Amino acid sequence: MMPLRRFQIHQPKTVKEAAEMLSHYGEKGRLYAGGTELLLAMKHDLLRYEHLVDVKTVPGLDEIEIGNASLHIGTTVTHRAIEQSVPVREKFPVLAEMANHVANVRVRSTGTLGGNLCFAEPHSDPATLLLALQAHVHVQGRSGERTLGMEELIVGAYETTLATDELLIGIDIPRIAKSQRAAYLKFQTHERPTLGLALVLDVDGNGRSITKARAAVGSVSPKPCRSDQADALLAGPRDKVEKQLDDAAKVLADAADPVDDLEGSAEYKRHLIGVYLRRAFVKALA
Amino acid sequence: MKLSFNLNGRPIEVEYEHQETLAEVLRERLNLTGTKISCEVQVCGACTVLIDGLPVSSCTLLAYEARERNVVTIEGLAKPDGALHPVQQAFIDEFAFQCGFCTPGMILAAKALLDENPKPSREEIVHYMDGNICRCTGYVPIVRAIQKAAQKLSNEK
């Protein structure tokens, strides 16, 4: 492999300065966090940038804070910091467990949650789980700040709705209520998941009935997907929902519209959605 | 440009450019060729070095990220008198390598694991070492070596 082409790294001290740098360098520049995905694409000469804006030099973006209503994760928090965070392990075990299984320990040490979402690699574990958890991201550009849902942020393979001068500064995840059960499962034989499936269920006191469900599937197609219709089939008395799991999986697979790729055929991935939805259901309610 | 960091316990300053990876600086500018480069995409673990105790893929991590931090390579594990680190000795005792190409990365990843979790279960070892690939041994002796090193390190304490 050829060495990386020449580039210069810039060190903004504020989000505003980073936004100005991104705007100034335009297509010749890119925001740089952990670099675990960006640098690989640059090594393969699939992307060329002359300027990298190191968001890690902006203070305060690497913090994890648990509030009354939500968990805030700064954009430069690494997967490892999430997996090791005691409050995350206690209050968001599903998130800590997912983070503990992203790629390998070296990638987890350097890769950041914000970078992962902004790169919008289709085979991303965090994006799928965050979609099911109804996370929002905070984005800031030269002219102001906005908040986006996961579906508004990631719109295709390697494609987000961020403007040239905008950067993701943090992620907010609503607190998981006592009545909620969450599970994230993935199927992986290579370096990236073939399928990731997240399920969040609101259950009544004795667990016999599901009042609300939210499922998301990722890695099978260009971006993580969910379906209101599938979620509706996943709510109701538990024995009824169990009988509807195959139908819900079919609807979810239709929404995701899996693609053939090196990880498997579309048909195979549709089959996996059925298997993993059932497993996630059992795990969430265990 | 000058890069200053702590390498194997000693402060060092080296000329570099922003696009250079840590492995390039270590191997080509500092002649520390114990760090091996193989897949070049952070999958195989051959290029593993430790930064502030954490394993990283030096083939992709920019040398820039090492500024003012502590870097440990395989050359920094043995004591100055040549006595091997318990993980290194355990790899020899358990025949945990054949061609040896993955070994520096394996040993550094194992050291990081044991520093963080001195008594890992077999499952914890397998999960942590999951990103280091060996094409010779079939992993059984590697896991055994790490278990043995863990035992030796805990006896030393």
Side-chain angles (χ1 to χ4, degrees):
Chain A
M1 201 175 297
M2 55 178 254
L4 283 160
R5 287 173 188 273
R6 198 182 178 90
F7 56 73
Q8 209 184 340
I9 298 175
H10 303 273
Q11 303 184 317
K13 292 282 168 280
T14 62
V15 172
K16 191 166 177 284
E17 196 186 345
E20 271 156 19
M21 284 174 173
L22 289 173
S23 163
H24 177 72
Y25 295 118
E27 290 194 346
K28 291 186 173 170
R30 183 94 187 243
L31 201 76
Y32 160 71
T36 55
E37 306 202 78
L38 177 65
L39 295 172
L40 294 189
M42 289 175 71
K43 274 183 159 189
H44 284 103
D45 213 17
L46 297 169
L47 293 172
R48 290 183 191 178
Y49 297 107
E50 292 169 26
H51 302 274
L52 296 186
V53 178
D54 183 3
V55 67
K56 298 189 299 305
T57 58
V58 177
L61 297 181
D62 61 349
E63 282 157 23
I64 297 178
E65 293 161 84
I66 292 208
N68 287 334
S70 64
L71 166 72
H72 178 80
I73 301 179
T75 195
T76 62
V77 170
T78 61
H79 303 297
R80 178 182 162 92
I82 296 170
E83 123 198 0
Q84 299 272 320
S85 156
V86 174
V88 173
R89 287 163 99 147
E90 280 170 7
K91 312 276 189 204
F92 293 83
V94 67
L95 185 65
E97 195 189 325
M98 180 279 296
N100 181 248
H101 288 83
V102 168
N104 58 50
V105 65
R106 302 179 306 279
V107 170
R108 294 196 288 276
S109 298
T110 41
T112 66
L113 182 59
N116 181 293
L117 298 179
C118 290
F119 203 75
E121 147 74 52
H123 299 92
S124 157
D125 295 304
T128 305
L129 176 59
L130 293 181
L131 175 59
L133 290 174
Q134 295 188 277
H136 283 82
V137 299
H138 300 287
V139 165
Q140 198 174 321
R142 277 180 309 164
S143 54
E145 204 179 320
R146 56 192 183 118
T147 302
L148 304 173
M150 294 302 301
E151 283 159 303
E152 295 162 307
L153 174 73
I154 299 172
V155 290
Y158 311 101
E159 197 184 347
T160 69
T161 53
L162 294 183
T164 311
D165 69 321
E166 279 184 320
L167 55 148
L168 194 158
I169 54 174
I171 298 103
D172 270 336
I173 306 166
R175 281 287 282 262
I176 298 176
K178 282 212 170 74
S179 59
Q180 285 183 314
R181 310 277 180 272
Y184 176 75
L185 293 174
K186 64 171 163 178
F187 176 71
Q188 184 169 343
T189 54
H190 298 113
E191 286 316 312
R192 294 177 187 276
T194 302
L195 161 137
L197 195 142
L199 183 62
V200 182
L201 302 175
D202 282 62
V203 297
D204 69 0
N206 54 21
R208 267 187 228 139
S209 164
I210 294 135
T211 52
K212 220 170 101 188
R214 193 171 159 97
V217 63
S219 298
V220 296
S221 49
K223 60 179 177 133
C225 280
R226 48 170 300 279
S227 147
D228 287 337
Q229 204 191 334
D231 290 351
L233 286 165
L234 292 167
R238 182 173 173 166
D239 19 341
K240 182 170 168 245
V241 173
E242 272 169 15
K243 289 186 192 112
Q244 290 173 174
L245 283 173
D246 288 341
D247 291 337
K250 191 178 172 300
V251 172
L252 189 58
D254 287 344
D257 195 13
V259 294
D260 295 314
D261 64 15
L262 292 174
E263 307 288 345
S265 66
E267 189 193 354
Y268 177 59
K269 292 176 186 176
R270 291 182 68 93
H271 167 72
L272 284 178
I273 292 171
V275 172
Y276 277 79
L277 182 64
R278 190 168 288 276
R279 286 185 190 176
F281 185 80
V282 170
K283 187 175 181 190
L285 295 177
Chain B
M1 273 176 295
K2 293 275 190 213
L3 175 71
S4 38
F5 62 106
N6 211 299
L7 177 60
N8 295 327
R10 284 208 305 244
I12 191 170
E13 197 175 72
V14 62
E15 193 67 32
Y16 86 120
E17 291 183 5
H18 278 160
Q19 73 278 5
E20 283 180 55
T21 64
L22 183 54
E24 285 167 343
V25 168
L26 291 171
R27 291 179 55 89
E28 286 157 39
R29 293 195 186 260
L30 299 167
N31 295 319
L32 291 177
T33 52
T35 300
K36 304 301 179 197
I37 296 180
S38 181
C39 77
E40 296 198 51
V41 290
Q42 303 181 103
V43 165
C44 77
C47 70
T48 303
V49 302
L50 306 184
I51 293 203
D52 291 344
L54 289 182
V56 297
S57 296
S58 66
C59 73
T60 304
L61 191 86
L62 297 177
Y64 161 86
E65 297 294 350
R67 64 200 193 286
E68 309 308 334
R69 295 171 80 184
N70 295 301
V71 176
V72 172
T73 68
I74 194 67
E75 289 88 350
L77 276 199
K79 291 196 179 128
D81 67 1
L84 294 179
H85 185 280
V87 178
Q88 291 175 303
Q89 190 59 52
F91 268 63
I92 294 172
D93 295 345
E94 294 299 322
F95 302 97
F97 54 87
Q98 288 175 28
C99 86
F101 200 80
C102 73
T103 310
M106 285 282 177
I107 287 176
L108 286 164
K111 179 189 184 299
L113 165 65
L114 297 180
D115 286 345
E116 172 183 325
N117 180 1
K119 287 182 186 170
S121 65
R122 192 182 179 281
E123 287 67 35
E124 286 170 332
I125 294 173
V126 170
H127 176 55
Y128 198 93
M129 301 298 294
D130 181 55
N132 285 74
I133 294 172
C134 172
R135 289 294 182 236
C136 306
T137 67
Y139 303 105
V140 173
I142 292 175
V143 173
R144 210 159 46 212
I146 296 170
Q147 286 170 320
K148 190 168 180 180
Q151 210 162 28
K152 189 163 180 217
L153 282 161
S154 73
N155 291 344
E156 280 177 6
K157 275 176 191 161

